[in-house]
Amino acid sequence: MPSTGTSGAGASKKKMNGYVGFSNYPNQVHRRSVKRGFNFTLMVVGESGLGKTTLINTLFESKVYPQKDTEEARSGRTSPQTGTVEITSVSADIVENGAKLRMSVVDTPGFGDAVNNDEAWRPILENIESRFDAFLAQENRVNRSKIADNRVNALLYFIKPTGHGLRAVDIEFMKNLHTRVNLIPIIARADTLTPREVEQFKARVLADINFHGIHTFKPVSDQFDDPETIADNKAIASKIPFAVVGSEKFIERADGMRVRGREYPWGIIEVENEQHNDFVALRQMLLRTHMEELRDETDVTLYESYRTQKLLALGHVQDNAVFREFNPRQQQEEDERLHTAKMHKLETEMAAVFKQKVQEKESKLKQSEEELHSRHMQMKAVLEKQRHELEEKRMRMGQGDAAAHAAYNESVQAGSSKDKKKNRFF
């Protein structure tokens, strides 16, 4: 086995001189998958009457989800007053060419049917996170031989074909759920719009999604994909959001061929005709080419992100030093350094606290001194005023005594002069 080079990771690349056999491993994985089967959970969200049930049954060409009663489909399962959103789930075992699929469809009847839909997204988010919590609890069990995975792998969000862009309820829903689930936007009942209106509506929806920073699932290519796969992925990505039409009925065309579609006075809309709608592209991505990628994105990215946030919120901190070789002397020096730094930090904090306390005390003393000085000046002003009043009163009293004394002297002098006149007369 001659060496052909070394990689940057330290492992050398080797070229085999003969057949070894480990290249057969993908076939082993395939046989195991066929034997065990696999699960896929699909959630559909949208207002009543947008054709969610019809589209699911059309995707799998079977009655995966039962049709609702006429009255129930017309009114939904919510009242405009309460605005309650229900979460219902239906599972079905589907077998195709020996491959077993446990398909679970989660429906959300009542979403968007209330008068006030500000919190319509919350029950759906809580349901998705509760599935993450259930999977996390199973992972933490002692016996993990049988783990049931019911995490939502993809969410088809049905957009009402208004032609004016996303509504407030659409934006609020996508902003709150795009970090928890693979979000796939779908323009429902595309047969109500002309091809030009569909393109314009798609442009407006994409503009709103990009403006609000909403992440949607898109097929991506890597270095291992062949040119045909890369071209297919680009073609599928260019059709997002998917403008689809669903139908469980077969209609006979003029040439005698029976096709699944919808018949109108002006013609036939074929479900599986790529010139009429994007149903084929949606099915290609969802079931034929990217089902495992959706499952992997849920497990590796979305669930791991939620799991990390959940454990950190509970106080779990990962110790990267566990099972790592270390030098005891270096560890001791590191501990001493950390201890010294910690003590220095405590001393600095205590000094800062002491300084703050002293400043607060000085500030209080200065304030008290200013209050005492102000009170002293007020009392001094009051006393000075009282002194002036007493001085004025004393002066007034002095002036009154002088006037009385002068009047008395005048009366005495007047009496004396009368006595003199009397004596003179006699």
Side-chain angles (χ1 to χ4, degrees):
M1 295 182 293
S3 174
T4 61
T6 58
S7 64
S12 61
K13 294 181 179 179
K14 304 292 183 178
K15 182 178 180 180
M16 303 296 107
N17 291 328
Y19 177 74
V20 176
F22 65 84
S23 61
N24 195 47
Y25 179 73
N27 296 329
Q28 301 175 33
V29 175
H30 171 73
R31 287 196 300 269
R32 186 183 62 180
S33 299
V34 171
K35 180 180 179 181
R36 294 183 179 179
F38 54 95
N39 300 328
F40 192 82
T41 302
L42 179 66
M43 178 177 280
V44 291
V45 180
E47 294 182 8
S48 300
L50 292 182
K52 301 187 295 294
T53 301
T54 301
L55 181 63
I56 294 301
N57 292 338
T58 306
L59 277 171
F60 295 96
E61 296 189 359
S62 61
K63 295 285 186 180
V64 175
Y65 207 80
Q67 287 284 358
K68 297 173 185 158
D69 296 336
T70 305
E71 185 64 26
E72 183 181 359
R74 186 184 302 116
S75 61
R77 297 188 184 180
T78 180
S79 64
Q81 290 77 17
T82 60
T84 303
V85 179
E86 295 184 18
I87 309 293
T88 61
S89 180
V90 174
S91 297
D93 293 324
I94 304 175
V95 181
E96 183 182 39
N97 295 332
K100 301 175 183 178
L101 171 63
R102 178 72 173 180
M103 185 69 195
S104 298
V105 179
V106 183
D107 194 7
T108 56
F111 176 83
D113 297 335
V115 175
N116 184 0
N117 294 302
D118 292 343
E119 297 289 323
W121 55 269
R122 191 174 298 279
I124 301 172
L125 176 63
E126 292 174 351
N127 181 268
I128 293 174
E129 292 184 343
S130 68
R131 292 169 183 264
F132 282 162
D133 291 333
F135 191 82
L136 177 60
Q138 293 179 90
E139 281 190 328
N140 294 331
R141 292 186 313 192
V142 176
N143 184 1
R144 302 189 302 175
S145 59
K146 294 183 179 180
I147 296 181
D149 185 5
N150 66 344
R151 295 171 295 180
V152 178
N153 302 119
L155 187 150
L156 302 183
Y157 184 73
F158 287 69
I159 302 171
K160 194 172 184 178
T162 61
H164 304 296
L166 293 177
R167 300 169 300 163
V169 63
D170 302 326
I171 295 172
E172 195 67 19
F173 178 86
M174 293 186 182
K175 287 174 62 176
N176 284 283
L177 272 82
H178 73 112
T179 59
R180 292 288 183 263
V181 70
N182 292 312
L183 192 62
I184 303 175
I186 290 178
I187 299 175
R189 297 193 177 281
D191 51 340
T192 61
L193 302 174
T194 65
R196 180 176 177 80
E197 289 173 340
V198 168
E199 294 301 322
Q200 293 176 347
F201 189 40
K202 280 189 175 185
R204 295 190 184 100
V205 170
L206 285 176
D208 291 339
I209 288 175
N210 295 329
F211 177 79
H212 293 281
I214 299 170
H215 176 73
T216 59
F217 179 82
K218 294 180 181 179
V220 293
S221 303
D222 54 36
Q223 58 182 344
F224 300 105
D225 291 331
D226 55 72
E228 183 179 355
T229 301
I230 295 174
D232 290 342
N233 289 342
K234 289 182 178 180
I236 293 174
S238 66
K239 294 182 180 296
I240 298 175
F242 299 100
V244 299
V245 176
S247 176
E248 299 181 61
K249 297 180 180 180
F250 284 89
I251 300 172
E252 186 173 342
R253 297 191 314 191
D255 58 2
M257 181 180 293
R258 289 175 56 82
V259 295
R260 190 187 298 269
R262 292 179 177 271
E263 187 174 10
Y264 295 95
W266 44 263
I268 297 175
I269 292 287
E270 298 179 21
V271 172
E272 298 179 304
N273 189 331
E274 296 186 57
Q275 301 298 324
H276 294 181
N277 69 100
D278 301 329
F279 173 81
V280 173
L282 173 63
R283 184 177 60 186
Q284 184 79 7
M285 184 191 76
L286 191 63
L287 303 178
R288 297 181 179 178
T289 59
H290 291 80
M291 177 177 279
E292 181 59 27
E293 188 173 339
L294 286 164
R295 285 162 45 89
D296 192 60
E297 181 73 11
T298 301
D299 183 53
V300 176
T301 303
L302 301 172
Y303 169 69
E304 284 299 322
S305 174
Y306 176 80
R307 177 179 176 274
T308 301
Q309 296 175 10
K310 187 77 172 182
L311 294 180
L312 289 176
L314 294 175
H316 295 273
V317 179
Q318 180 171 328
D319 186 4
N320 295 322
V322 177
F323 304 120
R324 182 183 299 172
E325 295 183 1
F326 66 94
N327 189 324
R329 184 179 182 83
Q330 291 180 353
Q331 184 67 32
Q332 183 180 3
E333 293 176 354
E334 180 68 14
D335 293 341
E336 291 178 355
R337 186 186 66 80
L338 293 175
H339 179 72
T340 303
K342 183 178 179 180
M343 296 303 297
H344 178 71
K345 182 180 178 181
L346 289 174
E347 290 177 0
T348 304
E349 292 177 351
M350 291 178 65
V353 171
F354 178 76
K355 184 177 181 180
Q356 183 181 0
K357 294 289 185 182
V358 171
Q359 291 177 350
E360 291 177 355
K361 193 68 176 179
E362 289 178 349
S363 177
K364 289 182 180 179
L365 290 174
K366 186 176 181 180
Q367 185 178 358
S368 299
E369 183 180 357
E370 291 177 352
E371 291 177 355
L372 289 173
H373 180 71
S374 176
R375 194 180 303 169
H376 169 72
M377 295 303 296
Q378 290 178 358
M379 293 180 64
K380 185 177 179 180
V382 171
L383 292 174
E384 187 68 19
K385 181 179 180 181
Q386 291 179 353
R387 189 180 67 79
H388 281 298
E389 291 177 353
L390 290 173
E391 188 70 22
E392 291 177 358
K393 187 181 292 185
R394 186 180 65 79
M395 291 179 62
R396 287 197 300 269
M397 291 180 64
Q399 291 175 358
D401 291 344
H405 184 69
Y408 175 75
N409 289 337
E410 289 179 0
S411 64
V412 170
Q413 289 178 1
S416 174
S417 60
K418 287 181 180 180
D419 290 339
K420 287 180 180 180
K421 287 181 179 180
K422 281 184 179 181
N423 291 334
R424 197 179 298 148
F425 177 77
F426 288 107

